[in-house]
Amino acid sequence: QIALKESGPTLVKPTQTLTLTCSLSGFSLTTSGVGVGWVRQSPGKALEWLALIYWDDDKRYRPSLRSRLTISRDPSKNHVVLTMTNVGPVDTAIYYCAHRLGGLHAFDIWGQGTLVTVTS
Amino acid sequence: EIVLTQSPGTLSLSPGEGATLSCRASQIVSRTYLAWYQQKPRQAPRLLIYAASSRATGVPDRFSGGGSGTDFTLTISGLEPEDFAVYYCQHYDNLWGYSFGQGTKLEIK
């Protein structure tokens, strides 16, 4: 059964770098067609896609945040890592990782999410 | 950038009634990459519909999706108490990546 779980700091100071890990189970990121994305949701706001990584290590980023984001994978640990540099209060949000449904570009399985608060 | 605009912002209905939620894209988009999600408070989103009209695994058949071009709809026939939630549409584009609408809140009247 496919599952994802996010982990990382709950509090981050402004200007710091945020590193989040998505642990995968029930599937491998090296399997052809697989993709894992990150989506965040600020309090009371809509969903916002951040980045996605494919089985072949191809990567996509939200254009407006591209300069601050890096998505990577560790196949040996079956992890996906998202780093965001120079965080600010506007980056306070629940961060979700999610499994992409085949070639249809929909996210069919989501992690529970992890709340990150940016505060000094 | 493709902008998805959902309407109405809030929809107040009673259990048993039917609901129609709208998602309008700022330009013609591929229905293959149009999806709908349901999100309940303090929960992660749940995929309901993909490729505009295909139900995800385990989704009741009272949920249906349709549309093409710039206009898409999510229809819920015979609302159940557990259907009251926020609904998001989402699209993928090779140039801009994934975009979500701002959401429609379906509340009990």
Side-chain angles (χ1 to χ4, degrees):
Chain A
Q1 184 171 356
I2 290 174
L4 304 93
K5 186 172 183 180
E6 307 86 352
S7 59
T10 56
L11 293 175
V12 184
K13 289 181 167 45
T15 75
Q16 287 187 335
T17 294
L18 169 65
T19 299
L20 295 170
T21 299
C22 179
S23 301
L24 317 177
S25 60
F27 72 104
S28 170
L29 194 48
T30 59
T31 300
S32 180
V34 170
V36 172
W38 285 93
V39 176
R40 71 179 178 182
Q41 187 171 35
S42 300
K45 302 295 186 182
L47 302 167
E48 181 181 47
W49 169 72
L50 300 175
L52 183 132
I53 190 166
Y54 292 101
W55 79 98
D56 59 358
D57 208 32
D58 191 15
K59 300 155 188 176
R60 295 286 185 269
Y61 295 98
R62 184 178 190 83
S64 61
L65 293 173
R66 184 183 182 87
S67 63
R68 298 175 53 209
L69 296 174
T70 302
I71 191 170
S72 61
R73 60 179 190 155
D74 184 340
S76 65
K77 297 181 180 178
N78 219 24
H79 286 175
V80 172
V81 176
L82 180 74
T83 61
M84 177 183 290
T85 61
N86 191 27
V87 299
V90 297
D91 298 310
T92 293
I94 297 174
Y95 287 76
Y96 297 99
C97 59
H99 173 269
R100 185 193 71 133
L101 176 62
L104 294 170
H105 291 292
F107 296 109
D108 61 339
I109 306 295
W110 294 64
Q112 63 190 22
T114 185
L115 174 61
V116 177
T117 302
V118 180
T119 179
S120 55
Chain B
E1 179 183 4
I2 294 175
V3 176
L4 302 178
T5 301
Q6 293 186 239
S7 60
T10 302
L11 186 57
S12 300
L13 294 170
S14 300
E17 291 189 292
T20 300
L21 287 64
S22 172
C23 176
R24 175 164 289 179
S26 56
Q27 59 186 276
I28 293 175
V29 298
S30 168
R31 65 192 316 272
T32 300
Y33 299 147
L34 194 289
W36 289 90
Y37 300 83
Q38 175 193 68
Q39 188 178 32
K40 297 180 181 179
R42 294 172 296 283
Q43 293 186 18
R46 171 197 180 195
L47 178 66
L48 295 177
I49 300 288
Y50 63 91
S53 59
S54 297
R55 274 187 297 275
T57 302
V59 175
D61 59 9
R62 63 180 180 273
F63 291 90
S64 62
S68 63
T70 60
D71 294 310
F72 297 86
T73 56
L74 174 69
T75 302
I76 312 172
S77 58
L79 285 165
E80 298 286 345
E82 62 268 27
D83 298 337
F84 292 91
V86 179
Y87 292 84
Y88 294 96
C89 59
Q90 171 248 302
H91 181 261
Y92 171 80
D93 172 82
N94 283 333
L95 183 60
W96 297 103
Y98 298 81
S99 54
F100 289 90
Q102 84 280 17
T104 289
K105 181 180 181 180
L106 178 58
E107 64 177 23
I108 298 177
K109 187 174 182 180

